[in-house]
Amino acid sequence: MTDLTRLTIAEAREKLKAREISSSELTGAFLDAIETVNPHLNAYIKVTPEKAREMAKASDERLAKGEGGDLEGIPLGIKDLFATEGVHTQACSHILDGFKPRYESTVTANLWADGAVMLGKLNMDEFAMGSSNETSYYGPVVNPWRKERSNQALVPGGSSGGSAAAVAARLCMGATATDTGGSIRQPAAFTGTVGIKPTYGRCSRWGTVAFASSLDQAGPIAHTVRDSAILLKSMASVDPKDTTSVDRPVPNYEDAIGRSVKGLKIGIPAEYRVEGMPGAVDELWQRGIEWLKDAGAEIVDLSLPHTKYALPAYYIVAPAEASSNLARYDGVRYGLRESGKDIIDMYENTRAAGFGDEVKRRVLIGTYVLSAGYYDAYYLKAQKVRTLIKRDFDLAWESGVDAILTPTTPDAAFAPGEITDPVTMYLNDVFTVTVNMAGLPGISVPAGLSETGLPLGLQLIGKPFEEETLFQLGQVIEDAAGRFQPQEWWAS
Amino acid sequence: MSVDIDTVKRVARLARIKVSDQEAERMTGELNGILQFVEQLGEVDISGVEPMTSVVEQTMKKRRDEVTDGSKAEDIVANAPVSEDNFFVVPKVVE
């Protein structure tokens, strides 16, 4: 029998509909794989086998009657940032110990309404703050990829490291993820998977643990461009519970796949060619340009002059918003409480014990830049720079550019413990963070391998709410580059 | 701009995070690294530039001022570390 975990969502959907396979079989195959492989990778921090089997059974009943939604019977993994009713939801932080929400996030509710099956909750950097999945309270995630002829463990990227690793190792058909500065696209690039961060406002943030509210967006990580289009269609919605959710109907993204890219104008921004970038990344970028050109797209040079200021502005805006959002963890309403001699002492002890180092750093930076006397010099200035970053993109669109092609990351995956300086770690997001600062959609598509055999991704940046163009172009890259699978070292 | 250890302790107090002297010292170095990194924003000419308030041009949605949800006291305190009769219990704050 073929290994059911090797199917794409698009393939499984057909087989389920034709009753060639059942969701119970498919879900069982993934639960078995998780049991064997997860101890090596630590991608799942909570597996929910009973719930998965129950949901699969319900899907099979609907499929038997010829009913069912767009994702009927498809087993997915859910990042620990999404509230799932009655199930572990801790943003992989100690401070949310034992938290089981009495409500469901809009994004996951949309998935279940379309028939998807939940396999469990996925590991991530604590409160989505990190680029290597090393800040999780539940320990690091191991990248399913290794360098050629090497046994050394590598990071899967972050913050959605569990989501990316679980997809790459075929421990789910697709996963939910979130992206505040690159947290979907960077791990997707590090694991040879496809990840899309949609336009700000496309997916509801309701029921997603907040990090930086003006930047946070949910999106999927999947095996193929088509699978990511299928997932995004279900995740996205107009939601009265999130005032920043935008009132626009969700298109059928899959329709864009296979559409000709002839005549589309693709911008190549000079500022994304950074010093010290490995040759393989630059070569891959050139190859991407050739692929799109061969498919009929027009390539134009572009300047986005404020690119280098996106990351420093981000490290003011994101911590400022985080320090406000994380004020709610006070040992009173949920999670951890440490005792103290009075209420302030209780707050201080709880937050000292409950937050990890990276979270503390960002809360302190945020508190500092918002404090009396510093607000104008830091926060207000960063928000003005943000206006300029967005203006760079607006000018590009006005000049007729339809999408922008860049590398996703400056380099391939690195080893745990290799980067200890916070600022060096932040530089991982140098190509992705501009997109969050401007609220644009961005997709990372695996496009080739580094000199040492590790996956690298190309990023396509689109106009607001033109995710369809990204799927259209992403498919061209996928068709030319092929798909990338890690060696299954854990099986030997 | 850079911070000294006393500023770090003051900010930690504002953020309600207890830090030991040793932690405060380590964090002073780390926070200065980050502040030094963001210093490059000083090169940008921001005269006459409006600060960003929203990435998506949209008038803020408003809803009617009416009750749409509620009577969920038990749900609300369900995850509290300590609660009593649907109230959150905290250390005594009034003498």
Side-chain angles (χ1 to χ4, degrees):
Chain A
M1 204 184 89
T2 53
D3 182 355
L4 296 177
T5 65
R6 289 187 190 277
L7 297 172
T8 63
I9 293 174
E11 289 163 354
R13 183 178 59 178
E14 299 314 310
K15 288 186 188 295
L16 285 164
K17 232 179 262 166
R19 314 274 299 135
E20 277 174 50
I21 58 168
S22 71
S23 176
S24 298
E25 287 169 311
L26 187 63
T27 301
F30 280 100
L31 291 172
D32 289 347
I34 293 168
E35 206 177 299
T36 329
V37 183
N38 197 54
H40 297 279
L41 304 181
N42 198 28
Y44 283 88
I45 43 112
K46 176 79 191 168
V47 188
T48 53
E50 290 85 23
K51 196 174 176 86
R53 289 198 185 94
E54 206 175 287
M55 291 174 96
K57 193 165 162 258
S59 280
D60 284 333
E61 281 163 15
R62 282 190 291 269
L63 287 159
K65 285 187 267 180
E67 297 167 5
D70 289 349
L71 288 171
E72 200 63 58
I74 301 291
L76 302 177
I78 303 299
K79 188 177 183 180
D80 199 34
L81 204 66
F82 294 89
T84 42
E85 196 177 346
V87 178
H88 189 288
T89 301
Q90 289 183 209
C92 284
S93 178
H94 185 36
I95 210 160
L96 269 167
D97 257 8
F99 183 63
K100 288 192 177 72
R102 295 288 179 107
Y103 52 90
E104 189 76 29
S105 80
T106 298
V107 163
T108 49
N110 288 344
L111 292 171
W112 315 144
D114 276 350
V117 171
M118 176 163 81
L119 292 167
K121 299 302 283 287
L122 294 162
N123 207 341
M124 54 181 283
D125 278 301
E126 184 183 2
F127 284 110
M129 298 178 190
S131 305
S132 63
N133 218 115
E134 290 172 287
T135 73
S136 168
Y137 179 65
Y138 295 93
V141 175
V142 174
N143 194 330
W145 286 82
R146 287 174 170 177
K147 288 182 186 169
E148 275 167 19
R149 291 176 297 277
S150 163
N151 291 328
Q152 193 190 25
L154 296 172
V155 305
S159 68
S160 312
S163 305
V167 172
R170 295 185 290 102
L171 304 183
C172 57
M173 302 209 88
T176 64
T178 60
D179 192 316
T180 304
S183 284
I184 290 176
R185 292 157 289 155
Q186 184 251 20
F190 278 13
T191 56
T193 54
V194 179
I196 179 163
K197 179 203 94 73
T199 313
Y200 183 81
R202 185 64 287 179
C203 286
S204 169
R205 292 180 296 108
W206 195 83
T208 311
V209 177
F211 161 16
S213 305
S214 79
L215 302 157
D216 296 343
Q217 257 300 288
I221 293 182
H223 286 290
T224 64
V225 173
R226 183 181 293 275
D227 282 5
S228 66
I230 295 170
L231 288 174
L232 183 61
K233 181 179 177 252
S234 284
M235 290 171 72
S237 62
V238 180
D239 185 9
K241 289 192 278 197
D242 173 2
T243 52
T244 61
S245 148
V246 171
D247 287 321
R248 287 170 78 115
V250 180
N252 186 10
Y253 296 119
E254 224 184 326
D255 289 347
I257 290 169
R259 228 179 256 166
S260 166
V261 302
K262 209 171 165 170
L264 286 183
K265 215 172 186 184
I266 310 301
I268 309 298
E271 291 79 7
Y272 283 64
R273 185 162 283 112
V274 297
E275 219 175 296
M277 196 159 82
V281 175
D282 203 30
E283 279 162 35
L284 191 77
W285 196 7
Q286 291 309 314
R287 228 175 300 153
I289 292 171
E290 292 308 317
W291 291 331
L292 295 179
K293 215 190 268 177
D294 290 347
E298 187 193 334
I299 306 295
V300 291
D301 285 331
L302 193 66
S303 175
L304 300 168
H306 295 92
T307 298
K308 71 175 270 210
Y309 302 110
L311 205 54
Y314 175 86
Y315 275 97
I316 292 172
V317 174
E321 293 183 15
S323 74
S324 313
N325 274 326
L326 271 57
R328 72 191 72 180
Y329 304 105
D330 57 2
V332 174
R333 286 161 292 171
Y334 21 64
L336 187 73
R337 174 186 288 191
E338 294 285 321
S339 54
K341 59 182 191 306
D342 54 29
I343 194 163
I344 291 181
D345 203 44
M346 184 276 280
Y347 293 149
E348 291 190 337
N349 289 337
T350 299
R351 289 163 66 81
F355 291 144
D357 283 347
E358 183 59 25
V359 173
K360 284 181 191 171
R361 264 196 291 278
R362 297 205 198 184
V363 168
L364 292 186
I365 282 284
T367 307
Y368 177 69
V369 300
L370 292 176
S371 64
Y374 296 101
Y375 181 88
D376 286 4
Y378 287 111
Y379 188 73
L380 199 67
K381 183 186 270 176
Q383 288 290 50
K384 288 180 179 179
V385 172
R386 200 173 167 189
T387 299
L388 294 172
I389 293 160
K390 184 172 182 289
R391 191 177 294 166
D392 283 354
F393 284 108
D394 288 343
L395 291 171
W397 312 135
E398 280 165 29
S399 77
V401 166
D402 294 293
I404 294 166
L405 180 75
T406 77
T408 308
T409 54
D411 206 345
F414 47 91
E418 191 177 321
I419 301 179
T420 51
D421 170 48
V423 173
T424 312
M425 185 67 89
Y426 300 166
L427 289 170
N428 257 286
D429 294 331
V430 66
F431 297 152
T432 47
V433 79
T434 49
V435 175
N436 302 76
M437 292 299 269
L440 301 169
I443 191 170
S444 176
V445 182
L449 299 176
S450 72
E451 286 97 337
T452 52
L454 295 177
L456 293 168
L458 287 174
Q459 173 179 241
L460 286 153
I461 304 168
K463 296 184 203 171
F465 299 101
E466 293 200 8
E467 284 81 3
E468 285 162 290
T469 313
L470 301 185
F471 289 122
Q472 204 177 338
L473 290 160
Q475 188 63 44
V476 171
I477 293 175
E478 185 176 288
D479 288 343
R483 285 173 51 197
F484 299 86
Q485 302 276 348
Q487 296 282 332
E488 289 166 28
W489 46 265
W490 52 82
S492 57
Chain B
M1 271 180 271
S2 65
V3 291
D4 56 21
I5 188 160
D6 289 337
T7 310
V8 170
K9 284 184 183 167
R10 185 176 58 81
V11 171
R13 176 83 178 161
L14 283 174
R16 298 281 185 262
I17 298 174
K18 191 162 281 177
V19 291
S20 64
D21 287 348
Q22 205 187 345
E23 266 182 301
E25 199 173 315
R26 179 171 51 86
M27 282 177 173
T28 305
E30 289 168 353
L31 298 191
N32 280 328
I34 300 168
L35 292 172
Q36 207 185 328
F37 175 65
V38 304
E39 205 87 310
Q40 50 179 311
L41 293 182
E43 299 163 17
V44 187
D45 179 9
I46 48 160
S47 49
V49 178
E50 286 292 312
M52 176 168 289
T53 48
S54 167
V55 284
V56 175
E57 281 159 43
Q58 154 168 278
T59 352
M60 190 163 85
K61 287 191 272 184
K62 297 174 195 75
R63 62 170 181 86
R64 297 179 77 87
D65 184 17
E66 55 191 21
V67 178
T68 57
D69 203 357
S71 305
K72 287 180 178 170
E74 274 176 38
D75 283 345
I76 288 163
V77 299
N79 278 287
V82 194
S83 71
E84 216 178 289
D85 301 330
N86 289 343
F87 285 95
F88 295 110
V89 178
V90 296
K92 197 170 170 184
V93 284
V94 185
E95 288 303 324

